[in-house]
Amino acid sequence: MRVGEALTTLLARIPDTDDSVAGPLEGKTVVLTGGLASMSRDEAGAKLEALGAKVSGSVSKKTGIVIAGEAAGSKLAKAQELGIEIWDEATLLAFLAEHGAATDAG
């Protein structure tokens, strides 16, 4: 069983990486508010989660970014009050394109 022992030894040296490489939004909580013209909020949330974000339904002092679409209301006001970073849809789309998670045209 020397081959098996050698394999076990080699595998033990590989770092434990159950998660994929950390995304650019790893550790950030993101809140979507208002309507988006280019995609649904569910689709935007899925793309953000794929980049490491935790998508939340409410704004708090732990929120990192609020993405404000059309007719954003009280969540946007609370984010402004708390001094949280706010992105519009164009900023979101540019970020997604930069990180390989852009929407499909058409």
Side-chain angles (χ1 to χ4, degrees):
M1 284 283 192
R2 290 185 157 224
V3 172
E5 291 171 8
L7 182 57
T8 301
T9 301
L10 287 173
L11 290 174
R13 292 182 183 178
I14 297 173
D16 185 16
T17 55
D18 287 279
D19 300 332
S20 58
V21 175
L25 295 175
E26 194 70 37
K28 290 229 183 216
T29 298
V30 178
V31 174
L32 294 155
T33 184
L36 300 173
S38 60
M39 68 186 94
S40 70
R41 283 178 23 186
D42 285 344
E43 183 181 2
K47 290 178 181 291
L48 292 164
E49 286 174 345
L51 295 173
K54 175 186 176 213
V55 178
S56 175
S58 60
V59 176
S60 74
K61 63 184 179 183
K62 294 181 180 180
T63 303
I65 302 167
V66 170
I67 298 169
E70 290 296 317
S74 61
K75 292 178 188 175
L76 175 58
K78 185 167 185 180
Q80 290 168 329
E81 179 183 312
L82 294 173
I84 293 168
E85 183 176 358
I86 298 167
W87 292 2
D88 60 10
E89 186 169 357
T91 303
L92 170 64
L93 293 174
F95 183 85
L96 294 175
E98 180 181 337
H99 295 285
T103 61
D104 294 332

